[in-house]
Amino acid sequence: MADLVKTPLSVLDPSPIIAGGSAELSLHNTLDLAKKAEKWGYKRFWLAEHHNWVGMASSASPVVIGRVASVTEKMRIGSGAMLLSHYSPLSVAEQFGTLEAFFPGRIDLGLGRAPGTDAYTAQVLRPRAAGEPEFAERLQELTAYLYGSGTSLANGSHTFHAIPGENSEVPIWLLGSGLYSAQLAGKLGLPFSFAGHFAPGNMMEALAVYREHFRPSEVLDKPYVLLSVQVVAADEEKEAQRLATSMYQKFLLLTRGQPAPLQPPVDSMETIWSEREREAVEEQLFTSLIGDPSGIKQQLAELIEKTEVDEIMAHTEIFDHQARLRSYEILAEAANY
């Protein structure tokens, strides 16, 4: 069985907005969760970035990162992921350089290349122009700001610097749900985080691609994989299964094109989804850890043994805040923290 003690646990939090709740309540719950997660021994706490999504409140993730860092002391706080396609590399370098200046040695910069929303919202966030740099080029420019001496115009007449941000110690992570980011992270020798909480079908292939293409760098001498998964834990198995119905309803509504605030749990999903819908939802969630303390411990060990990942990041959306806190506490106890 995998050695759970040596496998760090972390948190991926989208600041879920519940039905009947508000974004303000969700953000305050995020602060409460972060303080308790640090007490329970979690290594890092990342904020997910989504836009125009009625069920998530962490759209301005750098702002939330700074606030979370201000109420914690040791955990690394970061983005999961900062969607680089929407921003200029210089602005990202400046934002995370500023965060690092306030919280030295505690800030992570996780990058994603997906739009993080629907195509119309993505266009509002950043209208695309012909000839715009692709993700790899943006990443190269961002790296020059954070770790190099900035960038210059082609004729050398002007140089651009990230202030603050230059000569930064902020680590860059690549996040992904497919093979592109896995291969790029490997080639650049960067740590890689896989989105197993919504795209587990590509998981094993993506991890293999990352490890196969990995080249040692100044950042890493060997591959480092963080795997994010859905976790719903409770003191009783039946209660864990009931709490998980909020997660099922979220993914069901997404498959129907009807994103919504997180719904309260139900005793049964049978009258809510069709057989085809059930299969579609379960296909997105088959890596989920759901159960009581003993069940979570066993599932966690089996997942780590199967994937050989270096770190597990829990993504837990439970309607009741206190039940969500208890889920994270049970997971930490399962890993012998």
Side-chain angles (χ1 to χ4, degrees):
M1 181 175 288
D3 188 347
L4 300 184
V5 178
K6 294 182 180 180
T7 305
L9 295 179
S10 294
V11 175
L12 176 60
D13 183 31
S15 297
I17 301 173
I18 64 171
S22 66
E24 292 79 7
L25 173 63
S26 300
L27 290 169
H28 284 290
N29 286 343
T30 284
L31 298 181
D32 187 41
L33 171 60
K35 288 185 283 188
K36 290 181 170 62
E38 182 168 72
K39 181 181 68 174
W40 294 326
Y42 283 84
K43 181 175 183 177
R44 65 185 91 239
F45 192 104
W46 284 1
L47 285 303
E49 179 184 332
H50 295 274
H51 299 276
N52 194 30
W53 195 320
V54 295
M56 298 185 182
S58 59
S59 54
S61 55
V63 178
V64 186
I65 289 167
R67 188 69 181 96
V68 170
S70 75
V71 300
T72 53
E73 297 178 357
K74 298 179 180 178
M75 272 195 310
R76 299 194 65 90
I77 316 298
S79 55
M82 192 76 178
L83 303 176
L84 189 57
S85 60
H86 297 322
Y87 312 107
S88 75
L90 177 58
S91 68
V92 174
E94 290 172 337
Q95 290 175 51
F96 280 79
T98 301
L99 288 167
E100 175 70 13
F102 280 122
F103 309 102
R106 295 185 54 212
I107 301 300
D108 291 333
L109 175 50
L111 298 173
R113 59 187 287 266
T117 184
D118 61 86
Y120 298 106
T121 305
Q123 182 68 15
V124 170
L125 284 165
R126 182 178 176 85
R128 299 302 298 270
E132 271 202 353
E134 295 298 325
F135 181 82
E137 295 175 86
R138 288 177 179 272
L139 175 58
Q140 184 179 22
E141 183 181 347
L142 176 61
T143 301
Y145 290 131
L146 288 176
Y147 308 136
S149 56
T151 64
S152 300
L153 293 176
N155 62 9
S157 63
H158 195 83
T159 301
F160 304 92
H161 301 276
I163 305 171
E166 198 164 75
N167 299 316
S168 170
E169 294 185 3
V170 177
I172 290 178
W173 292 68
L174 291 193
L175 283 66
S177 58
L179 306 184
Y180 176 89
S181 292
Q183 182 173 338
L184 183 59
K187 287 182 176 180
L188 297 178
L190 296 174
F192 176 60
S193 174
F194 183 79
H197 60 293
F198 69 83
N202 298 321
M203 178 176 68
M204 297 308 294
E205 186 178 3
L207 300 189
V209 165
Y210 170 63
R211 289 164 175 152
E212 176 186 346
H213 287 86
F214 184 83
R215 299 172 184 170
S217 67
E218 293 182 3
V219 178
L220 289 176
D221 58 1
K222 62 181 180 179
Y224 191 95
V225 176
L226 183 155
L227 174 63
S228 60
V229 294
Q230 300 278 357
V231 179
V232 179
D235 290 298
E236 302 292 336
E237 167 72 22
K238 184 176 180 181
E239 177 62 5
Q241 295 295 337
R242 189 183 76 86
L243 293 175
T245 60
S246 293
M247 174 180 68
Y248 295 148
Q249 290 178 80
K250 171 191 171 178
F251 278 82
L252 172 62
L253 291 171
L254 288 176
T255 62
R256 293 175 177 174
Q258 303 168 350
L262 194 66
Q263 300 299 303
V266 295
D267 292 331
S268 173
M269 290 289 296
E270 294 307 311
T271 61
I272 298 177
W273 57 16
S274 67
E275 181 64 19
R276 179 175 294 181
E277 288 175 328
R278 180 187 67 79
E279 292 175 354
V281 170
E282 290 181 348
E283 185 176 345
Q284 290 184 281
L285 297 173
F286 70 78
T287 59
S288 301
L289 312 182
I290 304 172
D292 60 14
S294 63
I296 290 293
K297 189 179 186 73
Q298 180 177 349
Q299 293 170 51
L300 180 61
E302 291 173 351
L303 181 64
I304 293 170
E305 189 168 36
K306 174 183 178 181
T307 60
E308 299 182 313
V309 296
D310 302 284
E311 188 173 336
I312 293 289
M313 179 167 273
H315 182 279
T316 298
E317 292 185 272
I318 292 175
F319 186 82
D320 178 75
H321 179 59
Q322 295 303 316
R324 190 160 81 112
L325 292 176
R326 179 58 183 150
S327 179
Y328 277 108
E329 184 177 22
I330 290 172
L331 179 62
E333 291 170 348
N336 297 319
Y337 277 68

